[in-house]
Amino acid sequence: MGIINLQGVTKIYQTKEVETVALENVNLEVKAGEFLSVMGPSGCGKSTMLNLIGLLDVPTEGAVTVDGAATGRMKDAEMAEFRNKTLGFVFQSFHLINSLNVLDNVELPLLYRKSTEKSRRETARAVLEKVGLSHRTKHFPSQLSGGQCQRVAIARALIGNPKIILADEPTGNLDSKTGEEIMRLLFELNREGTTIVMVTHDEHMARKTQRIVRFFDGRRIE
Ligand code: ADP
Ligand code: ADP
């Protein structure tokens, strides 16, 4: 069994008038240590799948298992704790808090844990060093380049030492050279054992990863 398993997963969004089948009977197994790319046209269900793996949403049918935990049986609080402990999220648009400096942004996930301020600072400095941003701890997001912002976001994703990183178009807002740098960083994390699932539109980036899974209209295609 993989570190991530989707079995017969269907996700239907139900609003008053419309029913949207975002995913239909999807099976997927991601092995521990894998670097997987997820591709497909806009609206095919990629973000929906990442949200299910990220325990941000639950399937309408089927089972999602992440790191041995059957997520369907968890309560919201358990899901939040599990998410905080096991998963790191990286987004296209970085999602940094503009009013906080780099160090404070990176520390955020640790505020939900019982840790002293001193240990939070030390851990934040260590992950910032890892992403090559030790010299920018006091800067604010508006004072950084896009690539630097994404490094901060990756440092924030890493601070809880997650087994899995879920990345939604991590290079989508970056020029190709900066995008390559971010990919190099992700590959380094993967080499150290982190499982990565990356949604991307960029065939060139995807081809560098171990495996590409393609979706069309809520279904997996080969
Ligand atoms: P992708 O990430 O591949 O662009 P999404 O997973 O965002 O695709 O969306 C898949 C389908 O589900 C789309 O048709 C989209 O309009 C629909 N959808 C996504 N989120 C919601 C929602 N919260 N409510 C209703 N429909 C949604
Ligand atoms: P986009 O590709 O449109 O820029 P993002 O990659 O920023 O979108 O976000 C992808 C998905 O993650 C969205 O469905 C969004 O609602 C969700 N999301 C955004 N911020 C967070 C967060 N801090 N924690 C959890 N989920 C988030």
Side-chain angles (χ1 to χ4, degrees), residues 131-143:
V131 302
L133 273 186
S134 304
H135 58 310
R136 291 287 182 271
T137 57
K138 298 293 178 196
H139 281 60
F140 287 84
S142 64
Q143 301 168 322

Side-chain angles (χ1 to χ4, degrees), residues 16-157:
K16 271 199 196 99
E17 271 103 43
V18 274
E19 185 183 277
T20 309
V21 181
L23 291 176
E24 193 173 350
N25 193 22
V26 169
N27 297 302
L28 176 70
E29 178 180 346
V30 183
K31 297 239 187 313
E34 209 176 352
F35 193 155
L36 178 81
S37 294
V38 179
M39 299 196 76
S42 187
C44 71
K46 304 182 297 293
S47 296
T48 298
M49 191 180 76
L50 221 52
N51 286 346
L52 294 176
I53 296 172
L55 311 194
L56 298 166
D57 206 348
V58 291
T60 311
E61 273 177 60
V64 177
T65 312
V66 180
D67 196 24
T71 62
R73 304 209 185 96
M74 289 188 199
K75 299 199 173 68
D76 283 356
E78 278 177 278
M79 291 226 282
E81 194 190 328
F82 187 82
R83 194 158 57 226
N84 204 255
K85 199 180 69 189
T86 311
L87 301 163
F89 295 88
V90 177
F91 302 98
Q92 175 174 8
S93 46
F94 321 133
H95 289 298
L96 300 177
I97 297 184
N98 290 325
S99 59
L100 296 180
N101 71 25
V102 165
L103 201 59
D104 289 335
N105 264 286
V106 171
E107 271 184 30
L108 271 180
L110 293 185
L111 294 179
Y112 301 100
R113 299 183 178 199
K114 291 194 189 79
S115 55
T116 63
E117 189 180 334
K118 184 162 174 282
S119 88
R120 283 202 302 271
R121 295 266 127 173
E122 279 169 9
T123 314
R125 283 183 198 285
V127 284
L128 279 166
E129 168 135 22
K130 184 161 191 112
V131 302
L133 273 186
S134 304
H135 58 310
R136 291 287 182 271
T137 57
K138 298 293 178 196
H139 281 60
F140 287 84
S142 64
Q143 301 168 322
L144 301 176
S145 69
Q148 288 174 330
C149 284
Q150 194 59 299
R151 284 173 191 275
V152 176
I154 291 172
R156 181 186 55 189

Side-chain angles (χ1 to χ4, degrees), residues 134-199:
S134 304
H135 58 310
R136 291 287 182 271
T137 57
K138 298 293 178 196
H139 281 60
F140 287 84
S142 64
Q143 301 168 322
L144 301 176
S145 69
Q148 288 174 330
C149 284
Q150 194 59 299
R151 284 173 191 275
V152 176
I154 291 172
R156 181 186 55 189
L158 287 179
I159 198 163
N161 200 19
K163 290 188 182 169
I164 302 167
I165 288 181
L166 302 177
D168 198 346
E169 301 252 17
T171 62
N173 279 348
L174 305 174
D175 62 68
S176 59
K177 182 169 162 285
T178 312
E180 300 273 0
E181 283 168 21
I182 292 299
M183 286 299 290
R184 270 201 290 280
L185 179 55
L186 292 176
F187 277 114
E188 189 186 318
L189 301 174
N190 177 245
R191 265 199 306 278
E192 291 167 7
T194 312
T195 304
I196 304 181
V197 178
M198 175 178 78
V199 167

